[in-house]
Amino acid sequence: MKLGIIYAGQGSQVVGMGKSFYPREIFDQNEDLKELCFNGPLEKLSYTPYTQPCMVMVATIITDLLKEQGIVPDYTAGLSLGEYSALYCAGVFERKQVIDLARFRGKVMQEAVSGIESEMIAVLGMKEELLQDLCHQASSLGVVSISNYNCPGQLVVAGEKKAVEKVKELALENKARRVISLNTSGPFHTSLLKEASLALKERFKKETFHEMKIPVIFNTLGHEIEDQSIPEILEKQVMSSVYFEKSIRYMIDQGVDTIIEVGPGKVLSGFVRKIDRSIQLYQIEDMESLKKTVKALKGE
């Protein structure tokens, strides 16, 4: 068996997440996040500056519990925000550090898009090249681009509302199977996040990046790091497309045959199934699913 761990991103948050792992010291060190995770309300938990540290905090707990059971991946990756949890898993960040960074990232991302009328849509059943062309056609109305390459048949477009609405109209005219409006608080992974990217660049100058102990497959590359530094990649990540499908295919090419999704829900598992149905999938979001996964992996 070759194991990959993938971490869910923003959008997967649910009220009650992490509660089954309590008591753990990290919750009491972050009382505001604990209260939001356990009791919500969902509207506040779904606000970017809160969602990001909450998701990362719960992911660090699950990562540590897996390590305590001797379960360490051969490769790790995360969807957007999930990349920070993957870097924690790989030993690049310490726990307090990664939660603080997620707080900062959520704050500067929200500030960067404040006042911009924006939209994100999932486009189903359309070729990449055609959708790229439609984004180009609509770009006279504002910033618009493909923000996520999730899996075969599912791409996400983000940008300024008028331009995205035009892409939606053109996609349906060009026989997209379906177009779904996404409930997000900004046009993430587009050039509109430039201010957030610059703020992260300054913040990273003060941070210690430890040696990577497990290979991380990065969103903006769809493979392992080459001649870039981790800070450079993370600066770029907020305003660049997420190549999730490419990342999973790379993981599989390295021999990974078993993948654990960490985080609420099974969004990423759904993408992986569409990429390669032969992968053995597990998902961990609470103590029950953790125990079940550990038992299965240990063959008990």
Side-chain angles (χ1 to χ4, degrees):
M1 179 187 77
K2 213 165 189 182
L3 180 67
I5 294 184
I6 56 176
Y7 291 89
Q10 192 168 336
S12 293
Q13 66 276 0
V14 292
V15 173
M17 67 183 195
K19 200 167 187 176
S20 64
F21 300 118
Y22 190 76
R24 284 187 83 86
E25 189 182 24
I26 191 66
F27 285 123
D28 298 321
Q29 290 167 347
N30 294 275
E31 278 287 349
D32 59 331
L33 303 184
K34 179 181 87 170
E35 176 61 26
L36 267 179
C37 284
F38 293 3
N39 303 310
L42 183 60
E43 187 181 358
K44 191 173 179 182
L45 179 62
S46 298
Y47 183 55
T48 298
Y50 297 129
T51 312
Q52 298 203 11
C54 284
M55 287 287 291
V56 167
M57 179 175 70
V58 174
T60 65
I61 292 165
I62 295 171
T63 302
D64 288 349
L65 287 168
L66 284 170
K67 281 184 182 173
E68 284 168 22
Q69 294 294 326
I71 295 168
V72 176
D74 296 285
Y75 287 88
T76 183
L79 182 80
S80 187
L81 168 68
E83 193 158 277
Y84 282 70
S85 300
L87 287 162
Y88 173 76
C89 177
V92 172
F93 294 136
E94 291 166 17
R95 177 196 267 141
K96 182 182 184 303
Q97 177 188 23
V98 77
I99 294 169
D100 288 348
L101 281 173
R103 281 184 188 270
F104 182 79
R105 182 180 185 267
K107 174 179 167 285
V108 297
M109 283 175 73
Q110 192 60 48
E111 285 170 354
V113 300
S114 178
I116 298 173
E117 204 179 353
S118 65
E119 191 173 2
M120 288 182 86
I121 57 171
V123 181
L124 309 186
M126 179 161 275
K127 298 269 188 217
E128 288 176 19
E129 297 77 12
L130 177 54
L131 190 56
Q132 282 165 351
D133 184 51
L134 300 185
C135 288
H136 180 68
Q137 287 180 46
S139 62
S140 59
L141 297 172
V143 171
V144 63
S145 59
I146 300 176
S147 59
N148 293 62
Y149 296 79
N150 287 333
C151 62
Q154 192 190 118
L155 302 164
V156 175
V157 170
E160 292 175 276
K161 192 172 179 66
K162 283 182 182 174
V164 176
E165 285 293 325
K166 185 64 179 173
V167 171
K168 189 176 185 176
E169 179 192 317
L170 291 169
L172 291 169
E173 279 174 16
N174 282 272
K175 299 185 171 52
R177 195 168 80 246
R178 200 170 162 211
V179 178
I180 305 162
S181 291
L182 302 178
N183 184 20
T184 58
S185 53
F188 303 137
H189 299 288
T190 70
S191 60
L192 294 166
L193 270 289
K194 188 171 183 186
E195 289 303 315
S197 176
L198 293 171
L200 284 165
K201 183 177 184 174
E202 288 307 306
R203 174 65 183 251
F204 292 150
K205 288 175 183 174
K206 305 169 194 165
E207 296 293 332
T208 300
F209 288 75
H210 301 286
E211 187 185 344
M212 201 180 332
K213 293 176 182 150
I214 298 161
V216 176
I217 300 163
F218 288 90
N219 285 189
T220 59
L221 304 173
H223 53 71
E224 293 171 68
I225 207 161
E226 288 173 346
D227 51 0
Q228 307 92 332
S229 70
I230 295 172
E232 284 170 343
I233 295 269
L234 292 180
E235 289 156 26
K236 191 181 167 193
Q237 189 230 45
V238 285
M239 55 182 288
S240 303
S241 301
V242 173
Y243 293 100
F244 187 75
E245 180 182 347
K246 191 177 172 187
S247 298
I248 295 300
R249 290 196 188 282
Y250 180 86
M251 202 180 261
I252 294 165
D253 287 345
Q254 307 317 303
V256 169
D257 53 17
T258 305
I259 290 177
I260 301 171
E261 174 179 1
V262 169
K266 296 182 179 178
V267 172
L268 302 190
S269 297
F271 295 160
V272 174
R273 277 196 188 90
K274 286 179 181 169
I275 293 163
D276 189 331
R277 295 197 75 83
S278 71
I279 298 298
Q280 177 65 56
L281 284 165
Y282 298 97
Q283 185 266 343
I284 301 174
E285 61 184 331
D286 54 21
M287 193 59 88
E288 186 187 349
S289 52
L290 177 94
K291 286 177 178 172
K292 190 177 166 185
T293 300
V294 168
K295 202 172 175 182
L297 289 173
K298 290 188 168 184
E300 293 169 4

